[in-house]
Amino acid sequence: MQSTSIKKIYSNISNIITGEKTRKLVIENIGNTYKDLIFYIPYKVVSSSYCNNWGQLSDKKKILIKVLVDKHFSSFRRSNIPYKIKVIFDNKGINLVFFSKYTGYLKNIYKEGEEIYIAGTLAVYGKKFQILHPTIIDFKNINPEKNTINTLFYRQKAGLKTKIIHKSILKVLPLLPKLEEWNLLFMEQYPLSPSWNEAITNIHLGKEDNILENNSKTFLRLAYDEILANQLSLGIIRNSINKEKSNIYKKNSINIIDKFTKLLEFKLTLDQKNNITEIINDLNSNKKMLRLLHGDVGIGKTIVAIVSALHVIHSGYQVVLIAPTEILANQHFNFIKDKFKKLYINVYLLTASIKNKKTILYDIKNNEKSLVIGTHALLQKSIIFNNLSYVIIDEQHRFGVKQRLNLRNKGKKVDMLLMSATPIPRTMLLTHLGDISTSTVKQKPFNTKIRTILKSEININEVIKFIKDKINNNKVFWICPLIESIDEETNNSSIEKRYKLLKKNFNDIGYLHGKLPIEDKNKTLDSFKNGEIKLLISTVVIEVGIDIPDANIILIDNADRFGLAQIHQLRGRVGRGKKDGICILLYKEPLNDTAKERLKVVKNSNNGFDLSEKDLIMRGGGDVLGKNQYGFENFIFYNIIKHQNLLKMAIMEVNDILNSDPNLQSARGKRLIDLLYLFEK
Ligand code: ADP
Ligand code: MG
């Protein structure tokens, strides 16, 4: 049980934020509990020195000064001339300069004749001092003893300004419960570190100007709390899984597996066979299995998973294979159903658009020994299995933890295999799945190569000609980042725009994106498979697992908008048959150095593991969108690259904790439960 005081962290903020509009904005954009607010951390601290005479001013200095607002110069404003306000400091004039489109509000906050505090960076312009976009500082927050002040910047959201966010957070800070210290090892290693309460307060008061740096004492402490909570919860789950027994399977599945592999159009590689053996051995152990099967895109993981499923089905149980899209579920179903029919095994497909659901639901509930393939539709309550014993999750990054558990709870003593087409770097694995067993497919089933070419969009006509020359005995994917163009910047990168252009150059052309009804998607894909369509314009919906062996050219439009690993995934759509593949990365100029570097890295490496590591380092593990490409939630404080030593420490400490106090019943154990609660573990 958590302590009663920690519960306060989840108190509703409604009473403390006055102003209905602000309250609504804060709740919608940040959250409605104390915890949501205090974990919304600033992204930047700017430290300025307090100056009270002209002699202290110098070019480029970050300053905080008290000024008298003298005059607004706004009368003859043209769009390219900035808005200016003259203020008086130490009897001399300084100009405040604004380049914004909307400046109407400035009259209200810089009232002529009033004294205010402002912070900003000084610049010399025409022998005069000016400050570009200064910040007004609330006098109450200034400590005159200190001669610097730190201004915090929070990511603004829909109409919610950084200042309002900060004000709301400042109201929560004094209401937080005082939590007792749970850290031992960390305090030993980093003596004199702040307590949790001090740390979270330091952050939002901008105590030091380096407070947001990964190695500031405050930040380290919070990062350690986060990774400790993470490792502790993973450790607890692992302990409980290790204790649970799994179902017992017959050992003599070799004959049926043999029969099945003879039905395949190809021979299994040695690597695939080894992985199959490894997984079957794990299934046969008397503990529940939780294993990750990863390997580069196109390497042939599906068949490995299916054979392991066959082992379980042979013992009379049900197996479920869930995929993130209907296209993919259909593809698996079509690949397997006839082969399994010959082995007298039922295969069912359940997706949102399947018509005759009743019969299928009945069969799943009443028949043992079958393979059920489907999408999220399988997660519904109404779906009841007869004797589900094995869950396989394809493209695991597309499913949340809850969804995985939900599926697992549909059976008893269920074994689980997670599949990932993006090889997951070890640091990432440890922090998100813990010390999970892994099987890795490394050997490519065919010897085809993929050549990657970088081309500027300026040369698009040359590229079109190149494709025209090859399209007769080939098929082409053309991937766009968007469905429709939204603004100038994205002008050409949409399916809509490209379709117009390409229609003039090619006859057999079609398009595909996530918003089309599934029937249309399937129809277009079928036409592409049977050759009626030779050039398919598409968004990344085709990324996941699509298998069209005779498509050998892929063009990625506005390639600089995609992640490294994602480009690699897309590139894996070609070169799957007997012919080599070509991948054209079309980029928009001008490209900055990082973007150039990134594209060069994909061009020069064809190894998914390698690229995943590099992508991780280049992006620092995060992703602006909140979830990273591996489908894991991002951490707030912990940085997967910069805090690796904290991870090691946490793993060590969690082992100690769980050995001596597995149920967290000691006094410290109880405080650790608070920690788990704090991070919702
Ligand atoms: P992924 O690992 O990305 O899920 P798939 O399982 O979809 O890859 O396999 C990619 C393609 O390779 C499929 O067309 C599959 O049938 C084929 N394939 C798998 N194993 C072999 C093999 N041993 N020899 C030839 N082709 C294979
Ligand atoms: Mg796959």
Side-chain angles (χ1 to χ4, degrees):
M1 262 307 277
Q2 73 280 3
S3 66
T4 38
S5 60
I6 185 92
K7 283 187 184 156
K8 253 189 157 171
I9 279 263
Y10 285 88
S11 309
N12 198 291
I13 55 170
S14 291
N15 311 331
I16 60 166
I17 299 184
T18 43
E20 199 165 325
K21 206 177 134 208
T22 311
R23 189 185 312 135
K24 197 164 162 258
L25 279 174
V26 171
I27 291 176
E28 268 170 21
N29 290 292
I30 301 179
N32 62 0
T33 66
Y34 291 3
K35 201 206 79 159
D36 294 325
L37 274 182
I38 56 168
F39 279 170
Y40 196 78
I41 60 166
Y43 69 94
K44 190 169 83 172
V45 187
V46 175
S47 156
S48 354
S49 330
Y50 182 69
C51 301
N52 53 20
N53 67 68
W54 195 263
Q56 293 170 318
L57 305 190
S58 59
D59 191 18
K60 300 199 178 75
K61 187 167 175 176
K62 293 197 169 69
I63 55 158
L64 165 70
I65 49 176
K66 185 180 180 184
V67 298
L68 173 76
V69 181
D70 186 31
K71 208 169 168 194
H72 284 244
F73 297 93
S74 56
S75 30
F76 301 107
R77 213 172 100 64
R78 273 179 315 192
S79 62
N80 54 345
I81 296 178
Y83 188 96
K84 276 189 196 143
I85 303 172
K86 186 181 163 203
V87 297
I88 307 292
F89 171 70
D90 200 10
N91 294 319
K92 298 181 191 66
I94 292 178
N95 279 333
L96 310 184
V97 181
F98 300 85
F99 276 96
S100 5
K101 219 173 189 175
Y102 305 102
T103 49
Y105 70 98
L106 290 171
K107 276 258 184 220
N108 297 328
I109 56 174
Y110 291 91
K111 292 204 177 96
E112 287 177 14
E114 277 190 8
E115 283 192 318
I116 51 168
Y117 285 86
I118 55 169
T121 309
L122 274 178
V124 178
Y125 186 78
K127 290 192 183 154
K128 270 190 174 163
F129 276 130
Q130 68 171 35
I131 301 174
L132 188 64
H133 298 169
T135 313
I136 297 186
I137 303 291
D138 191 349
F139 177 70
K140 275 174 278 170
N141 291 336
I142 297 175
N143 178 358
E145 306 270 298
K146 287 203 305 182
N147 50 6
T148 62
I149 177 162
N150 295 330
T151 318
L152 299 174
F153 291 83
Y154 292 84
R155 286 217 189 284
Q156 314 205 12
K157 291 197 169 179
L160 198 53
K161 294 236 160 53
T162 178
K163 260 199 205 147
I164 307 275
I165 298 174
H166 195 194
K167 254 191 175 163
S168 311
I169 295 172
L170 289 178
K171 282 188 183 162
V172 171
L173 289 178
L175 304 176
L176 293 178
K178 292 270 170 295
L179 301 179
E180 283 187 67
E181 186 58 75
W182 49 72
N183 274 326
L184 289 180
L185 195 54
F186 182 81
M187 287 301 179
E188 249 170 63
Q189 302 277 327
Y190 298 90
L192 301 179
S193 285
S195 69
W196 182 81
N197 284 84
E198 284 163 351
I200 205 78
T201 309
N202 288 350
I203 288 257
H204 293 294
L205 292 184
K207 257 287 171 57
E208 297 121 31
D209 53 2
N210 70 341
I211 200 112
L212 295 176
E213 281 166 28
N214 285 310
N215 56 1
S216 82
K217 276 209 161 136
T218 292
F219 213 84
L220 274 178
R221 142 117 223 178
L222 294 168
Y224 190 71
D225 287 342
E226 192 170 31
I227 193 69
L228 183 65
N230 160 280
Q231 288 300 306
L232 190 56
S233 66
L234 289 172
I236 291 170
I237 295 171
R238 189 170 55 241
N239 274 359
S240 79
I241 288 181
N242 283 348
K243 271 192 213 130
E244 293 169 60
K245 297 258 180 282
S246 68
N247 291 311
I248 304 295
Y249 306 120
K250 290 185 202 158
K251 304 279 184 318
N252 62 350
S253 60
I254 188 81
N255 287 338
I256 191 155
I257 290 176
D258 233 30
K259 266 190 206 152
F260 174 71
T261 50
K262 288 214 175 87
L263 297 171
L264 294 171
E265 299 82 7
F266 50 79
K267 277 211 169 79
L268 293 178
T269 64
L270 183 62
D271 195 22
Q272 283 170 324
K273 285 184 192 158
N274 290 340
N275 275 289
I276 290 168
T277 312
E278 185 176 47
I279 297 171
I280 289 182
N281 284 341
D282 198 355
L283 285 167
N284 284 344
S285 88
N286 56 6
K287 283 181 189 162
K288 265 192 189 176
M289 177 172 98
L290 175 62
R291 178 173 281 273
L292 175 77
L293 172 61
H294 63 169
D296 217 339
V297 54
I299 204 123
K301 292 180 292 289
T302 317
I303 198 72
V304 173
I306 303 243
V307 173
S308 72
L310 206 49
H311 176 71
V312 172
I313 296 169
H314 175 64
S315 292
Y317 289 103
Q318 286 175 305
V319 177
V320 64
L321 166 60
I322 188 169
T325 63
E326 292 208 36
I327 292 183
L328 201 56
N330 287 339
Q331 183 176 293
H332 289 325
F333 181 70
N334 292 330
F335 174 67
I336 297 163
K337 67 169 184 222
D338 292 338
K339 299 181 181 83
F340 271 30
K341 213 178 194 172
K342 290 187 184 143
L343 306 172
Y344 307 102
I345 296 171
N346 287 320
V347 186
Y348 304 108
L349 177 68
L350 197 83
T351 61
S353 58
I354 285 288
K355 296 279 149 38
N356 213 345
K357 280 207 188 67
K358 263 200 180 144
T359 355
I360 297 179
L361 287 190
Y362 180 88
D363 283 343
I364 296 179
K365 191 172 169 186
N366 294 293
N367 297 348
E368 350 182 281
K369 204 179 177 187
S370 54
L371 176 63
V372 181
I373 298 175
T375 53
H376 294 82
L378 285 170
L379 298 169
Q380 282 159 24
K381 264 214 180 95
S382 58
I383 301 186
I384 298 164
F385 286 82
N386 184 312
N387 62 350
L388 177 65
S389 184
Y390 185 22
V391 169
I392 303 172
I393 302 191
D394 194 12
E395 310 287 342
Q396 62 90 27
H397 66 283
R398 303 279 296 265
F399 296 90
V401 177
K402 278 197 192 122
Q403 292 172 322
R404 292 179 207 156
L405 287 178
N406 172 328
L407 203 52
R408 199 169 78 178
N409 290 337
K410 287 183 184 286
K412 284 190 190 118
K413 307 187 191 172
V414 168
D415 291 302
M416 186 133 102
L417 183 71
L418 307 173
M419 292 206 270
S420 165
T422 305
I424 308 180
R426 172 121 186 106
T427 36
M428 196 66 143
L429 263 185
L430 278 173
T431 49
H432 290 282
L433 297 170
D435 201 2
I436 187 179
S437 352
T438 53
S439 294
T440 313
V441 190
K442 290 201 181 106
Q443 188 186 352
K444 285 231 156 80
F446 10 74
N447 285 323
T448 53
K449 291 200 176 58
I450 303 173
R451 183 156 59 102
T452 303
I453 303 166
L454 292 181
K455 276 278 171 201
S456 161
E457 194 185 349
I458 296 169
N459 302 320
I460 190 158
N461 288 327
E462 198 185 302
V463 172
I464 290 176
K465 187 175 173 302
F466 175 85
I467 294 176
K468 261 190 185 163
D469 289 345
K470 303 226 175 233
I471 205 156
N472 270 338
N473 45 16
N474 227 319
K475 285 178 191 166
V476 182
F477 290 111
W478 186 298
I479 309 299
C480 296
L482 299 167
I483 302 175
E484 290 157 17
S485 293
I486 313 164
D487 49 33
E488 277 299 307
E489 199 199 330
T490 59
N491 198 12
N492 291 324
S493 44
S494 69
I495 291 197
E496 184 197 9
K497 282 283 159 71
R498 285 305 190 216
Y499 186 74
K500 274 187 196 150
L501 172 75
L502 294 170
K503 190 86 192 133
K504 290 182 200 146
N505 291 282
F506 299 94
N507 297 323
D508 326 320
I509 152 174
Y511 64 88
L512 193 68
H513 58 73
K515 288 197 179 148
L516 294 172
I518 180 76
E519 297 85 32
D520 291 6
K521 281 192 229 171
N522 280 337
K523 219 166 128 194
T524 306
L525 261 184
D526 286 343
S527 315
F528 190 52
K529 274 185 190 154
N530 67 28
E532 281 161 40
I533 289 175
K534 304 273 283 187
L535 189 150
L536 181 67
I537 310 177
S538 163
T539 51
V540 291
V541 287
I542 70 114
E543 171 188 355
V544 188
I546 287 253
D547 190 39
I548 299 181
D550 57 349
N552 284 307
I553 299 177
I554 187 164
L555 181 140
I556 301 173
D557 208 331
N558 282 253
D560 42 298
R561 290 171 150 251
F562 295 88
L564 292 189
Q566 197 179 20
I567 293 179
H568 183 62
Q569 280 248 330
L570 286 165
R571 179 168 64 182
R573 300 300 120 222
V574 300
R576 292 186 148 223
K578 294 182 183 74
K579 275 197 258 173
D580 287 352
I582 296 172
C583 170
I584 304 166
L585 303 177
L586 201 62
Y587 61 86
K588 206 181 218 141
E589 291 185 270
L591 266 193
N592 66 35
D593 287 349
T594 342
K596 238 180 245 162
E597 178 61 26
R598 279 158 43 86
L599 291 184
K600 270 196 199 141
V601 168
V602 226
K603 178 178 158 59
N604 295 329
S605 170
N606 217 341
N607 177 322
F609 279 89
D610 211 34
L611 285 174
S612 287
E613 294 272 359
K614 289 205 171 108
D615 207 13
L616 189 61
I617 290 165
M618 282 176 153
R619 299 209 227 186
D623 201 305
V624 254
L625 301 173
K627 260 193 184 183
N628 60 47
Q629 61 180 325
Y630 304 96
F632 304 130
E633 296 293 337
N634 283 318
F635 289 97
I636 307 169
F637 305 101
Y638 175 77
N639 181 305
I640 198 158
I641 298 296
K642 307 223 165 85
H643 291 144
Q644 297 195 26
N645 58 332
L646 295 185
L647 171 64
K648 283 190 197 131
M649 206 158 109
I651 291 175
M652 234 164 69
E653 193 167 25
V654 164
N655 276 335
D656 282 352
I657 294 168
L658 293 181
N659 280 335
S660 59
D661 183 18
N663 297 319
L664 303 182
Q665 281 171 333
S666 67
R668 177 172 186 229
K670 294 209 169 91
R671 283 179 228 146
L672 285 164
I673 295 181
D674 280 357
L675 171 68
L676 291 178
Y677 203 67
L678 193 58
F679 285 100
E680 284 180 80
K681 299 290 181 194

